[in-house]
Structures are given as C-alpha cells and as structure tokens.
C-alpha cells in the first residue's frame, strides 16, 4: 500500500494518528513544506481512497514484487543504522524514507541519517550520467526533451514494461 505522506495513518509501532501529527510531535514538517528548498519534494496526484488516504501498488510479475520487497527490507535495515547514527549525534528521529550517508562537503559536518535532499539526488544522477559517458565514450544530452531527467526515466521504464 502507498500511503499519503501527510494525511494517512502512521502505522508506526507505538504511534497513533496521521503522519502529519507525528511530524508535528517531532517538530518537523512534511517534505512539501520543508524550510530548505533542497529538501522539498511533492506527492504527485495519485488516486487515493478517500477513507484511508492510500492506494494499492501492483507489480507486473510476482518475481518483481519479491525482488522489490527484498531490496526494500534490506534498505530499511541499512536506513535504521544510519538514522541511529543521526540520533547518536543528538539529532531527532525522523520518518523520511531516503537518508544521506555522507557529509556536507562545504561544512564537513556529518549528514548521515539526515533526510536525503533533492539536490543530493540530482548530484548523484549527474555523476551517474558522467560514469556512463566515460564507460561508453559518448556524450549524453541532458534535459527533458532528450528523456535524460530522473522523471523521464520513470516514464521510459513504465513504457518498457
């Protein structure tokens, strides 16, 4: 099930209420209202059940569901370790799924366990494109019209399926 990041129930052990209420108790805001632009992300218009604010996710083949599930669970274990490091630094727990694993190069402060920023993702995307270019010796044109944005990749993947 996909749950709206703001309105759905938390389903966290020991917590009741919506994710928004949980974030309020932690003194955090949803990513769509993040004070730093690099942390802001949005929930695209997914058709949600009006009573539960969630929707079902379907996989094309059972083996893909198993593969996704195994990777997701392994990632959750890894994420837990990183967030524990964040808490050990005296920073609060948070429910955001994607987290950083390095340091801020400009300040040399640890970012381990912090919510992964959109700008960090874009930097990783650009580095990946450069590695592909180096490997195959060809330049990859950048931009929406070339289908080389992260969002375009989602569409190409869906079209391939």
């Amino acid at each position: 099930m996909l749950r709206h990041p703001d309105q759905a129930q938390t389903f966290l052990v020991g917590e009741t209420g919506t994710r928004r209420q949980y974030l309020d108790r932690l003194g955090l805001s949803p990513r769509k209202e993040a004070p730093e632009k690099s942390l802001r992300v949005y929930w695209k218009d997914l058709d949600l059940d009006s009573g539960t604010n969630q929707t079902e996710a379907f996989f094309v083949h059972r083996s893909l569901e198993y593969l996704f599930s195994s990777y997701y669970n392994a990632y959750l274990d890894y994420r837990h370790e990183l967030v524990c490091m964040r808490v050990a630094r005296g920073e609060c727990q948070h429910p955001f799924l994607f987290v950083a694993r390095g340091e801020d190069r400009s300040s040399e402060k640890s970012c381990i366990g912090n919510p992964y920023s959109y700008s960090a993702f874009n930097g990783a995307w650009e580095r990946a494109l450069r590695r592909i270019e180096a490997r195959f010796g060809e330049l990859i044109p950048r931009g929406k019209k070339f289908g080389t944005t992260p969002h375009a990749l989602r569409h190409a993947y869906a079209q391939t399926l």
Side-chain angles (χ1 to χ4, degrees), residues 6-63:
D6 202 63
Q7 303 163 358
Q9 295 296 307
T10 61
F11 295 99
L12 297 170
V13 175
E15 290 292 333
T16 59
T18 65
R19 188 163 184 270
R20 167 68 130 202
Q21 292 165 332
Y22 174 66
L23 289 171
D24 286 345
R25 282 195 295 279
L26 292 175
L28 300 171
S29 44
R31 301 260 334 228
K32 69 179 184 180
E33 299 169 11
E36 297 173 49
K37 184 179 178 187
S38 69
L39 291 176
R40 250 180 257 142
V41 291
Y42 301 89
W43 184 258
K44 199 165 178 180
D45 300 322
L46 187 62
D47 190 21
L48 300 171
D49 177 274
S50 60
T52 62
N53 286 309
Q54 61 188 27
T55 191
E56 289 187 70
F58 297 96
F59 291 87
V60 175
H61 192 273
R62 188 86 172 149
S63 63

Side-chain angles (χ1 to χ4, degrees), residues 52-136:
T52 62
N53 286 309
Q54 61 188 27
T55 191
E56 289 187 70
F58 297 96
F59 291 87
V60 175
H61 192 273
R62 188 86 172 149
S63 63
L64 290 175
E65 180 179 357
Y66 174 76
L67 184 64
F68 174 83
S69 179
S70 63
Y71 283 147
Y72 179 70
N73 286 320
Y75 175 75
L76 288 180
D77 291 341
Y78 178 64
R79 179 200 175 278
H80 178 73
E81 292 174 24
L82 297 177
V83 173
C84 284
M85 291 179 194
R86 172 187 161 88
V87 172
R89 287 195 315 268
E91 298 183 58
C92 74
Q93 171 75 270
H94 66 78
F96 303 113
L97 180 61
F98 298 109
V99 297
R101 62 180 180 93
E103 68 178 31
D104 180 341
R105 291 186 183 113
S106 62
S107 67
E108 297 183 5
K109 286 180 64 178
S110 176
C111 294
I112 295 174
N114 291 357
Y116 195 59
S117 71
Y118 191 64
S119 59
F121 173 79
N122 283 332
W125 177 261
E126 181 60 32
R127 288 188 301 278
L129 290 176
R130 278 190 252 133
R131 285 192 306 270
I132 293 169
E133 287 175 333
R135 163 89 186 201
F136 294 101

